[in-house]
Amino acid sequence: MQATSTRLLRLLSLLQTRREWPGADLADRLDVSPRTIRRDVDRLRELGYPIQATMGTGGGYQLGAGAALPPLLLDDDEAVAVAVGLRTAAQGGVSGIEETSVRALAKLLQVLPSRLRRRVDALGSFTVPMPSGGPTVDADTLALIASACRDSERLRFDYERHDGSPSRRIVEPLRLVARGRRWYLVAWDNDRDDWRTFRVDRMRPLTPTGPRVPPRDPPEQGVAAYLAERMDLHMWPHQARIRLSVSAEEARRRAGEWFGTIEPVDQASCVLVCAGHSYLQMACYLGMLDIDMEVEEPDELREHMARLATRLHRAASR
């Protein structure tokens, strides 16, 4: 009986990690026969877990949604992560879930073992939230987009562009990415036949989603690197190349990688490819780097830096 209970918990844990499991794969993972898997699935159904089965060569098992939420199986690190995430959500960032996050957190803390509760309390006691006035994301919108990503379903939405103009997009969503206080969707834009990024707070999804489409391979450099490249360079109206008289490693340490990308040249120099709202802003930022440099392009940045240098020299002379 103890072996059966342990196996049921392991089976439930596996079903929660993937959308669908072939029966043969579950049997291999648990080192039992497919017949035993079928019996264990029936036992979990009796306990209230809505497990759907698909027959045939490509069939398998899927943990579905039922009329009530069954108990979830979390390991120690997952439980701590959920508790910390609920505390963060209660402090804002995703609108409409602050109160429910507090209620869910109270229930979770009630059943956490004391050793895990101490870890969660330590994180809460020695971290201070900084409220932000930035845009918030509707929780239902975030959940809808995440479901479309999971199920490989096309997503239609009204979108507010950077300049405020409206548009309607049809995409194949890949991943949601949180950067700073904002959420972004990386998706394949069907009209533009290329990958694009969208700020979730500017999206108004249209329902229903679908149809389902075959999953696409992600961008070659990876989702996070693609988003960083789009945000640091391609989304800004002005770009420039600057030769820095330090190694690429030193440039990354002193300049960071939020302002652009750094291309190594040799042991004593590199090139910073950066972008921004205006060349004046770029000139001010570059002046704060305290690094010898040479503007490779464009001429407009050279002119702004020359005017800024003259202005600063005049201020220092006074």
Side-chain angles (χ1 to χ4, degrees):
M1 181 63 68
Q2 183 178 4
T4 301
S5 301
T6 302
R7 190 176 64 249
L8 286 176
L9 290 175
R10 290 182 59 197
L11 174 59
L12 180 59
S13 179
L14 289 173
L15 290 172
Q16 291 174 354
T17 60
R18 271 171 45 177
R19 189 170 184 271
E20 189 170 0
W21 276 92
D25 289 357
L26 289 174
D28 290 340
R29 286 292 190 97
L30 299 177
D31 195 22
V32 295
S33 67
R35 183 179 178 182
T36 300
I37 293 295
R38 290 194 294 271
R39 287 202 304 264
D40 288 348
V41 166
D42 289 338
R43 292 190 181 100
L44 289 176
R45 286 170 176 161
E46 293 174 359
L47 294 173
Y49 293 95
I51 301 175
Q52 302 167 5
T54 304
M55 307 303 293
T57 305
Y61 298 97
Q62 177 181 343
L63 184 62
L69 179 67
L72 297 177
L73 185 65
L74 302 174
D75 61 29
D76 287 0
D77 291 337
E78 290 171 343
V80 172
V82 169
V84 173
L86 288 171
R87 277 190 169 172
T88 303
Q91 296 161 358
V94 180
S95 61
I97 66 169
E98 295 87 352
E99 181 183 351
T100 51
S101 298
V102 172
R103 295 203 309 267
L105 178 62
K107 293 179 181 179
L108 181 59
L109 292 178
Q110 182 179 359
V111 297
L112 278 182
S114 57
R115 68 181 189 281
L116 299 184
R117 196 179 303 115
R118 285 195 295 269
R119 288 171 59 182
V120 175
D121 290 341
L123 285 169
S125 300
F126 294 96
T127 56
V128 179
M130 264 310 261
S132 172
T136 57
V137 176
D138 180 73
D140 292 336
T141 299
L142 207 60
L144 176 66
I145 297 173
S147 297
C149 292
R150 179 198 62 198
D151 298 337
S152 298
E153 293 181 340
R154 277 192 180 142
L155 184 66
R156 298 177 301 123
F157 56 91
D158 293 327
Y159 190 67
E160 180 183 337
R161 296 190 182 98
H162 187 69
D163 59 5
S165 61
S167 66
R168 178 160 293 185
R169 316 300 278 268
I170 301 176
V171 305
E172 298 173 16
L174 178 65
R175 289 290 185 274
L176 282 167
V177 182
R179 190 182 192 193
R181 298 284 296 182
R182 291 176 177 170
W183 285 91
Y184 296 87
L185 170 66
V186 176
W188 180 267
D189 192 313
N190 293 94
D191 293 331
R192 290 153 181 80
D193 199 30
D194 198 2
W195 293 104
R196 289 291 187 271
T197 60
F198 305 93
R199 269 179 52 176
V200 176
D201 59 284
R202 294 178 180 168
M203 296 173 58
R204 299 294 179 268
L206 304 173
T207 55
T209 59
R212 294 188 67 176
V213 293
R216 291 183 181 272
D217 293 331
E220 184 178 354
Q221 65 271 50
V223 174
Y226 171 80
L227 177 65
E229 181 180 320
R230 294 287 302 181
M231 293 184 62
D232 294 341
L233 294 177
H234 299 297
M235 68 179 294
W236 304 108
H238 303 291
Q239 297 187 17
R241 291 178 59 89
I242 299 94
R243 175 73 69 97
L244 303 180
S245 299
V246 294
S247 66
E249 181 179 352
E250 178 67 11
R252 292 189 183 96
R253 187 184 67 82
R254 296 169 67 172
E257 297 190 12
W258 281 77
F259 194 68
T261 60
I262 295 173
E263 302 174 354
V265 176
D266 52 41
Q267 295 296 324
S269 65
C270 61
V271 170
L272 171 64
V273 183
C274 59
H277 278 295
S278 70
Y279 288 121
L280 178 58
Q281 289 181 347
M282 295 168 67
C284 293
Y285 172 81
L286 292 168
M288 292 188 297
L289 291 183
D290 194 25
I291 297 174
D292 290 337
M293 65 184 68
E294 175 187 350
V295 178
E296 292 188 349
E297 58 181 30
D299 292 336
E300 291 89 340
L301 179 58
R302 294 191 187 95
E303 295 168 1
H304 278 282
M305 295 186 74
R307 284 198 293 270
L308 181 61
T310 300
R311 190 177 301 119
L312 293 174
H313 179 72
R314 187 164 55 245
S317 300
R318 293 173 183 170

